[in-house]
Amino acid sequence: QETPEKYRPQFHFSPKANWMNDPNGMVYHNGTYHLFFQYYPEDKVWGPMHWGHATSKDMLHWKEQPIALYPDSLGYIFSGSAVVDVNNTSGFGKDDKAPLVAIFTHHNPVIEKQKTGLHEYQSIAYSLDDGKSWTKYSGNPVLPNPGITDFRDPKVSWYEPQKKWIMTLAAKDRIAFYSSPDLKKWSKESEFGADAGAHGGVWECPDLLPLTHDGKQVWVLIVNINPGGPNKGSAGQYFLGDFDGKTFTAHSKETKWLDWGADNYAAVTFSNTGNRTLLMGWMSNWQYANQVPTDPWRSANTISRELGLKTVGSELYLTSVPAKELDAIEMEGYTKKNLSVKAPVDLAPKGGNASGLFRLDLKTATADDFELVLSNKAGNELLIGYDKAANQYYIDRSRSGKTDFEKGFGQKHTAPRFSKDSKIALTLVADVASVELFADGGLTVMTDIFFADTPLSGLGIKSAKGIKVEELQYNALKPSIE
Ligand code: FRU
C-alpha cells in the first residue's frame, strides 16, 4: 500500500501540507472548536512561524482554514492562546459581538541577530468573525521584553474572583504570572519554578487551570519542557497547588509528568469549554520532528483528552482520558470476557482490520505482565505492555517500521504505574501512525508515534506468566479526515 500519504493520521489533525508544531489559541466558540497552530506554509521544516487554523465540531473532524496570523514587522508569530472576551474588557467588541482575542509571542529575528536577548515579547490580535480574519492591535507589543531571552507562549484565562485576566508565561527557567483588566495593560504578579520541577531544558508553553477534586479547587500548572523529558527530548510536566490571583503555590516542588511517551508536547487546554477541561498536544518531539518521514506535511496533534484528578494513597495526580467525542467514531467491534492469556492470542477482529485504526479497552484480573503486539505482514511490530517487576508500562517502537531517520527514535519508552489497583484497566487508541495509552483511568499516559511500512492491522496479546483478561472491548475507528 505505497500511497504518498501512507503515514497520514486518519482521525488526528494534521495539516494538508508543510510544517506544524504547537497547538495554539485553542478555544471553543459558538459551537465550534478552533485550533490554531505553529505553521510554516512554505516548507516541511520549521521556519518563520504563522498561526495556521482549523475548525471542528467534535475535535476529530477538522477542517483546515486559511492562515490566521502572518509574521509582520514585529516578528514571527510564536505560540500563545485565545480567549472569548465575553465582557468586552478589551473594547475590541462591536455591536454586542464579543471579540475573540489571541495573545501570542512575537519573536523578532532581526533583534535576535543583535544578541541582546530582547527578541521575544507578547502581542494581541482580535477577530469579530469567529476567527476568520484577525486584526493586530496597534499598540503591540502589550508586554515588552524585560531582559529575558526565552520569554514566550502566553496562556491567558479569566480569573473571576478578581475579575481580571491572568497570563501564564514561560520565562526561560520559570513561569511568570501577569494580570490585566483589559488584555492590553499587563502587570507582573509573581514567579514560580526556578527552584521546582525538572530543568533539563527550557520551560515553554505553560497552562494554569482549576479542577475540582472532592469539592475542593485544585490548580494545575502545566509546564512543557524541552529537552529533559522522561523518555528524552520534549515533554510536559505539571504541578498541583493553589492560586490566589497572584501567586501559584505548589503542593510539592517535584515534577509529575502529563504524558510519559515521547510524543505529546506543548499540550495545553482549550479555552471557554465550561466545566470540561480539554487538553491537546503536538504529537511529536523536537528530537526528530524535522526528520519524520511524512510527506508533504510534518506532524499531527494528539486526540483531545479530558483532564481530571485522582488520589492514590495520599498522593494526588492529574488524569487524562480520551474526550468522549471519540465514542462517536467507533465502528463494529466485539467484547470478550474472562480470556485466559499465555501464548499469543489473536485479538484482531474476524476478517482483520486493514486500516489499523482501533480502540481497545481491557481490564485484567491481576496486575501481572502482559504484552500487546500490533503488527503487519511487513514484519513491523509495536509492543505495548506492563512489566510487573519494574512496575512499568512500556511502548517499544524499535521494530515498528521506519526508525532510521533519527538515531534515538527506535527505542523502548517506559512509564511508572502509580495505581495500586489489583487490576489493570487500559485504553489504547491507535491510528495509522500513533498510539495513545491511557492506563488506570488516565493515571499513566503514554503517546508514541511510529511509521509502519503498512498499517498495523494485526493485534495480539501474550503473557509470559499467564494472565486473565476479565473484560475486553475492541472497536475499529472510523477515519474522520476527508
Ligand atoms: C515549543 C516552541 C515554543 C515557541 C514555538 C516556536 O515547541 O518552541 O516555545 O513559541 O515552539 O515555534
Side-chain angles (χ1 to χ4, degrees):
Q1 212 173 324
E2 282 295 324
T3 72
E5 297 221 333
K6 68 172 176 175
Y7 303 126
R8 174 75 78 183
Q10 297 295 302
F11 57 89
H12 289 81
F13 176 73
S14 60
K16 287 205 160 51
N18 294 312
W19 170 268
M20 172 175 83
N21 57 291
D22 316 355
N24 295 149
M26 293 188 288
V27 60
Y28 183 64
H29 183 49
N30 290 340
T32 298
Y33 291 92
H34 290 266
L35 162 69
F36 299 90
F37 50 91
Q38 287 289 279
Y39 189 50
Y40 183 44
E42 283 165 45
D43 204 346
K44 264 184 12 167
V45 291
W46 191 90
M49 285 289 114
H50 300 54
W51 271 27
H53 184 201
T55 51
S56 175
K57 295 285 178 201
D58 61 2
M59 300 171 288
L60 291 160
H61 296 78
W62 289 102
K63 194 167 167 43
E64 199 169 333
Q65 304 288 350
I67 290 174
L69 295 170
Y70 286 80
D72 56 48
S73 62
L74 288 175
Y76 305 155
I77 315 296
F78 269 24
S79 288
S81 50
V83 295
V84 185
D85 183 10
V86 184
N87 303 321
N88 195 23
T89 62
S90 61
F92 293 140
K94 248 199 199 121
D95 311 329
D96 283 354
K97 213 172 186 343
L100 270 179
V101 181
I103 309 95
F104 57 88
T105 299
H106 259 128
H107 175 106
N108 191 315
V110 180
I111 302 182
E112 188 176 17
K113 283 205 193 81
Q114 298 163 355
K115 299 219 177 339
T116 54
L118 302 173
H119 54 282
E120 291 183 340
Y121 33 80
Q122 321 317 320
S123 293
I124 60 178
Y126 64 92
S127 170
L128 296 171
D129 57 4
D130 296 317
K132 279 193 209 60
S133 65
W134 291 83
T135 306
K136 288 180 187 134
Y137 174 49
S138 58
N140 282 341
V142 292
L143 177 55
N145 189 297
I148 301 171
T149 315
D150 296 287
F151 189 65
R152 58 176 179 261
D153 309 339
K155 182 73 161 75
V156 173
S157 57
W158 179 250
Y159 188 70
E160 180 59 26
Q162 293 168 20
K163 306 230 181 303
K164 63 186 187 186
W165 298 100
I166 296 292
M167 179 195 290
T168 306
L169 191 70
K172 199 184 194 110
D173 62 347
R174 64 197 69 186
I175 298 303
F177 296 101
Y178 290 80
S179 71
S180 171
D182 58 4
L183 297 165
K184 294 171 176 164
K185 299 180 288 289
W186 292 93
S187 345
K188 188 163 175 188
E189 295 284 359
S190 65
E191 285 182 1
F192 170 82
D195 60 350
H199 284 280
V202 68
W203 283 20
E204 299 182 317
C205 299
D207 197 355
L208 176 73
L209 55 110
L211 287 174
T212 306
H213 181 67
D214 280 348
K216 277 205 293 264
Q217 199 169 50
V218 176
W219 286 83
V220 184
L221 178 64
I222 293 174
V223 179
N224 285 278
I225 174 175
N226 177 55
N231 278 295
K232 286 216 196 108
S234 2
Q237 61 185 315
Y238 69 90
F239 304 89
L240 301 177
D242 301 315
F243 183 70
D244 61 3
K246 182 172 182 65
T247 311
F248 176 79
T249 312
H251 295 160
S252 152
K253 288 185 176 181
E254 249 166 73
T255 279
K256 290 189 167 99
W257 297 99
L258 199 62
D259 189 317
W260 292 77
D263 301 294
N264 182 3
Y265 192 56
V268 290
T269 60
F270 279 83
S271 181
N272 201 39
T273 52
N275 53 16
R276 298 181 77 192
T277 306
L278 299 167
L279 178 99
M280 194 184 266
W282 173 47
M283 202 155 53
S284 194
N285 189 312
W286 282 114
Q287 298 285 111
Y288 43 70
N290 279 282
Q291 285 99 50
V292 294
T294 54
D295 189 45
W297 81 99
R298 275 209 179 95
S299 304
N301 283 346
T302 67
I303 54 165
S304 176
R305 298 151 183 209
E306 183 134 14
L307 299 184
L309 292 167
K310 203 178 193 151
T311 38
V312 178
S314 58
E315 197 66 34
L316 191 59
Y317 293 91
L318 189 64
T319 56
S320 8
V321 295
K324 65 176 183 330
E325 281 79 357
L326 189 69
D327 300 354
I329 62 163
E330 280 180 10
M331 301 202 293
E332 68 287 348
Y334 69 84
T335 311
K336 270 202 170 94
K337 285 207 166 23
N338 299 320
L339 178 71
S340 289
V341 176
K342 195 162 179 155
V345 176
D346 189 6
L347 295 182
K350 286 213 176 59
N353 176 6
S355 72
L357 276 51
F358 69 87
R359 170 188 181 143
L360 177 73
D361 292 280
L362 64 77
K363 191 177 206 179
T364 62
T366 53
D368 286 306
D369 289 12
F370 66 93
E371 183 168 85
L372 293 160
V373 183
L374 281 62
S375 61
N376 59 15
K377 294 215 171 79
N380 303 150
E381 281 189 345
L382 183 73
L383 312 175
I384 298 159
Y386 174 65
D387 173 348
K388 185 180 182 177
N391 192 30
Q392 280 175 342
Y393 293 103
Y394 61 86
I395 300 180
D396 184 350
R397 64 180 176 190
S398 55
R399 287 178 291 123
S400 60
K402 199 158 182 50
T403 58
D404 61 0
F405 50 88
E406 195 265 331
K407 65 177 183 339
F409 185 83
Q411 284 178 357
K412 176 176 175 176
H413 301 140
T414 60
R417 178 176 197 240
F418 298 110
S419 174
K420 306 268 187 268
D421 261 12
S422 60
K423 300 172 191 220
I424 289 180
L426 61 83
T427 298
L428 195 65
V429 178
D431 199 342
V432 170
S434 65
V435 71
E436 292 163 273
L437 171 70
F438 304 89
D440 306 306
L443 276 172
T444 299
V445 177
M446 297 183 85
T447 304
D448 268 11
I449 56 172
F450 57 87
F451 302 96
D453 300 324
T454 61
L456 296 180
S457 53
L459 176 63
I461 185 168
K462 60 187 182 190
S463 168
K465 289 173 209 137
I467 197 167
K468 185 146 110 202
V469 178
E470 281 186 351
E471 281 174 55
L472 184 149
Q473 173 76 34
Y474 175 100
N475 286 92
L477 294 176
K478 203 180 353 200
S480 60
I481 61 166
E482 300 129 55

